[in-house]
């Protein structure tokens, strides 16, 4: 199989301010073959995106790249900028993680695809329009001629991603780079996008470099796997060999962090990735590795082949090999909720006025309304977690906003015997304090102008606590969520996404709530950080008797956290029941489609056994 892309001993160094250039990527070598998908995986900060930006020659000015980046017979590092601009879009297409930020919001989608095609081919407007309509149809946009003149905001997230794919494929590139193309998408749309990429690469014999932190997706769709940690390769091989026998401790730890149906505890990798300026001289994973020995710190290990993959670990012959296992028995780890009912939702209905109506109909209240929730009813026990699942537009977030009293609604929401609709003034404010929220993007929910300590302690102002008492309480809350009290005086932009989400959890806990609404709290986090947060939330539920409403499109995370699951579609609750039983034997056809679209919910390929062996090693 011919190599479309070959990175040969590529290293990248970037400048931080006026300091000397820091090595970010070290001695990376990989190949992407025609018609094949290579998955580049690892935690955030491992160097995945830097590798793709180096390939596209889009690194910031002052970056130093050594080695060779071969696209066919051409070394991209030898091209001047005009020549490289001709390569981008023509020979290499790229799909970005967030299509809404990658597409021009002021330009119609047809014109954006036309521009890319005309720029590289020189064809006429008429030919470009015909090619654009062909591409839109190929990626599954219904009625391409009618959607040609629509703007990006008129498409759903999944449809915008399809538009991005069409633009990337406009000139039939040899190589497609997909950077987290399904992160944030619901499982049905993600499955469609991945199936589309699989079909197109085979049809066009195109190589795909797929960037992701989700190994369950890699297992389902990739041909080859390359694992990065702190800028270095730790393991590489075919996907079949890798998932049959992952050898490096880091690879095993990543697999153990993936939620599986009925799993009682996730593997949380201790510590964090080293800062580029403080990387160990030996094995970079050694400080977090349960198997590390003193010799691991001396020098970076030479790659060794064993079990079908090549791993950079001197101990792979001594680490227990992969052992296939079945899922944990149904019901394991589930709690009893005999303590009573905390929340009752009765016939909850939410209607929104449509935005594309005339001014007169809007002013006089005659505008037609869209029903976002339609007579939804359920209960939530004290100490229980209820998962709310469904595709985008199903009403999940609207349900959360109604419970938080952020939107108007019909029906009743009763918290611990008190009806929200019957309360006013101070009584309503007191009850609202009992329900807190953790949002999907913690950076948008934290005030960038407030120090972290002030953000965490803000709810305590309403309890009349002094400044000193608030600071002491904030320090204790940060330590409870696994953060140092040293973060009290820093600003949100200085910490990682996983740390920011833990700050958001600490802030929610400050109000001493009885219930927390979790709105997609882990969708933008890598699997190891997700595992840490999910374990933390479970522990807090046991300690404080907290109840959760977990809104998510990630059925794997929901299966791990939730005692029961409610399935929404079109604003209606299709079915509700115990988590493991509902996902193992769904009764509604829509639920069956959701489960089928979630590769994490298929029988475990051994991650539970790996998790148990590493955890027992850590304990010893």
């Amino acid at each position: 199989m011919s190599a479309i892309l070959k990175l040969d001993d590529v290293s990248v160094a970037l400048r931080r301010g006026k300091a000397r250039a820091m090595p970010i990527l070290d001695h990376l070598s990989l190949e992407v073959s025609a018609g094949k998908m290579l998955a580049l995986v690892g935690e955030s900060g491992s160097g995945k995106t830097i590798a793709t930006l180096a390939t596209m020659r889009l690194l910031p000015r002052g970056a130093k790249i050594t080695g060779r980046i071969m696209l066919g017979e051409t070394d991209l590092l030898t091209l001047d900028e005009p020549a490289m601009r001709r390569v981008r879009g023509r020979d290499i297409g790229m799909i970005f993680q967030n299509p809404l930020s990658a597409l021009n919001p002021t330009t119609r989608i047809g014109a954006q695809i036309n521009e890319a095609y005309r720029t590289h081919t020189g064809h006429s407007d008429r030919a470009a329009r015909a090619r654009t309509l062909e591409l839109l149809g190929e990626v599954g946009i219904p009625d391409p001629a009618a959607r040609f003149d629509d703007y990006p905001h008129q498409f759903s997230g999944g449809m915008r991603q399809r538009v991005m794919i069409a633009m990337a494929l406009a000139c039939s590139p040899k190589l497609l780079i997909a950077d987290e193309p399904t992160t944030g998408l619901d499982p049905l749309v993600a499955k469609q996008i991945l199936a589309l990429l699989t079909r197109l690469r085979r049809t066009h014999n195109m190589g795909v470099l797929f960037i992701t932190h989700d190994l369950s997706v890699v297992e389902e769709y990739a041909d080859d796997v390359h694992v990065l940690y702190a800028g270095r390769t730790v393991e590489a091989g075919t996907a079949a060999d890798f998932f049959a026998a992952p050898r490096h401790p880091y690879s095993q730890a990543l697999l153990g962090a993936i939620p599986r149906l009925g799993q009682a505890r996730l593997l949380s990798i201790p510590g964090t990735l080293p800062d580029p300026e403080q990387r160990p001289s030996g094995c970079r994973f050694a400080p977090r590795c349960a198997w590390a020995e003193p010799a691991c710190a001396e020098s970076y290990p030479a790659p060794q082949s064993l079990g079908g993959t090549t791993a950079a670990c001197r101990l792979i012959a001594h680490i227990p090999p992969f052992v296939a296992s079945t899922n944990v028995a149904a019901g394991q780890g589930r709690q009893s909720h005999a303590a009573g009912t905390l929340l009752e939702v009765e016939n909850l209905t939410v209607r929104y006025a449509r935005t594309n109506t005339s001014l007169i109909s809007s002013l006089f209240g005659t505008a037609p309304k869209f029903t976002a929730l339609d007579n939804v009813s359920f209960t939530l026990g004290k100490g229980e977690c209820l998962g709310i699942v469904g595709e985008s537009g199903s009403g999940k977030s609207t349900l959360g906003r109604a419970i938080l009293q952020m939107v108007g609604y019909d029906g009743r929401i009763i918290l611990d015997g008190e009806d929200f609709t019957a309360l006013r003034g101070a009584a309503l404010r007191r009850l609202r304090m009992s329900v807190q929220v953790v949002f999907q993007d913690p950076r948008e929910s934290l005030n960038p102008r407030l120090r972290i300590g002030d953000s965490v302690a803000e709810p305590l102002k309403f309890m009349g606590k002094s400044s000193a008492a608030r600071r002491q309480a904030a320090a204790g809350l940060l330590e409870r969520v696994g953060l140092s009290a040293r973060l009290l005086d820093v600003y949100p932009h200085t910490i990682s996404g996983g740390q920011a989400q833990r700050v958001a959890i600490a802030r929610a806990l400050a109000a001493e709530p009885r219930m927390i609404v979790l709105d997609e709290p882990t969708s933008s986090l890598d699997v190891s950080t997700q595992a840490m947060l999910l374990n933390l939330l479970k522990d807090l539920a046991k300690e404080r008797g907290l109840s959760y409403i977990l809104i998510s499109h990630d059925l794997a995370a929901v299966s791990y956290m939730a005692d029961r699951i409610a399935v929404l579609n079109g604003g209606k609750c299709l079915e509700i029941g115990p988590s493991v039983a509902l996902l193992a034997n769904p009764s509604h056809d829509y639920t069956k489609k959701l489960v089928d679209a979630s590769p994490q919910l298929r029988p475990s390929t051994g991650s539970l056994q790996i998790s148990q062996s590493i955890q027992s090693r850590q304990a010893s």
Side-chain angles (χ1 to χ4, degrees), residues 286-576:
R288 306 172 70 187
C289 181
W291 307 94
E293 297 179 351
C296 297
E298 295 175 1
S299 61
Y300 198 80
Q304 301 182 57
S305 296
L306 183 66
T309 67
T310 299
C313 178
R314 57 174 42 85
L315 301 173
I316 59 173
H318 307 287
I319 296 173
F322 177 92
V323 179
S325 70
T326 57
N327 288 322
V328 177
Q332 180 172 333
R334 303 299 172 187
Q335 301 179 36
S336 172
H337 304 290
T341 298
L342 176 68
L343 180 72
E344 298 173 73
V345 174
E346 298 178 357
N347 302 318
L348 186 64
T349 300
V350 177
R351 295 183 177 91
Y352 294 122
R354 295 188 182 275
T355 57
N356 57 344
T357 56
S358 68
L359 177 61
I360 293 177
S361 62
S362 298
L363 290 174
F364 289 94
T366 59
K369 291 190 174 182
F370 167 71
T371 301
L373 285 178
D374 189 3
N375 287 307
V376 173
S377 299
F378 61 85
T379 61
L380 177 70
K382 294 179 180 179
E384 182 184 21
C385 177
L386 176 66
I388 309 294
V389 303
E391 60 187 314
S392 299
S394 62
K396 304 188 302 296
S397 293
T398 298
L399 175 60
R401 293 189 185 104
I403 293 171
L404 291 162
Q405 307 299 297
M406 295 172 65
V407 297
Y409 58 86
D410 296 320
R412 300 175 71 203
I413 299 177
I414 303 169
L415 182 68
D416 212 4
E418 296 185 86
D419 191 342
F420 273 106
T421 57
L423 299 178
R424 297 292 184 274
L428 178 59
R429 288 193 295 272
R430 175 186 54 79
L431 194 60
R432 290 182 70 170
M433 285 282 286
S434 298
V435 184
Q436 294 296 306
V437 61
V438 175
F439 292 103
Q440 177 176 352
D441 189 342
R443 298 192 187 282
E444 291 187 359
S445 61
L446 296 174
N447 189 331
R449 296 182 179 181
L450 286 183
R451 290 180 172 87
I452 284 172
D454 294 329
S455 287
V456 172
E458 192 173 25
L460 301 176
K461 288 183 180 180
F462 301 101
M463 300 179 184
K465 293 190 177 184
S466 67
S467 176
R470 292 199 302 268
R471 184 175 178 85
Q472 183 179 2
L477 288 166
L478 288 178
E479 290 176 357
R480 179 60 199 89
V481 298
L483 297 174
S484 170
R486 291 177 297 177
L487 295 183
L488 285 170
D489 296 316
V490 305
Y491 289 94
H493 73 272
T494 65
I495 61 177
S496 69
Q499 288 174 319
Q501 196 63 290
R502 279 184 276 179
V503 170
I505 294 171
R507 186 180 189 278
L509 293 174
E512 299 180 1
R514 285 175 274 178
M515 181 177 73
I516 299 179
V517 176
L518 304 165
D519 191 358
E520 302 279 9
T522 62
S523 66
S524 60
L525 304 177
D526 57 57
V527 289
S528 58
T529 305
Q530 173 184 268
M532 177 273 298
L533 281 169
L534 293 179
N535 286 339
L536 170 63
L537 290 168
K538 267 199 167 185
D539 293 341
L540 290 170
K542 291 180 181 179
E543 290 176 13
R544 300 189 174 215
L546 282 171
S547 298
Y548 297 126
I549 297 287
L550 174 58
I551 298 167
S552 181
H553 60 251
D554 186 346
L555 267 68
V558 172
S559 73
Y560 174 68
M561 281 290 298
D563 300 281
R564 290 185 302 139
I565 293 177
V567 182
L568 296 188
N569 187 35
K572 293 181 179 292
C573 183
L574 302 183
E575 62 176 309
I576 185 169

Side-chain angles (χ1 to χ4, degrees), residues 55-77:
T55 300
M56 294 287 284
R57 295 268 306 275
L58 293 175
L59 289 170
R61 186 173 299 176
K64 182 180 180 181
I65 310 175
T66 59
R68 296 194 308 162
I69 301 177
M70 304 296 297
L71 184 69
E73 300 300 321
T74 303
D75 186 351
L76 299 182
L77 298 182

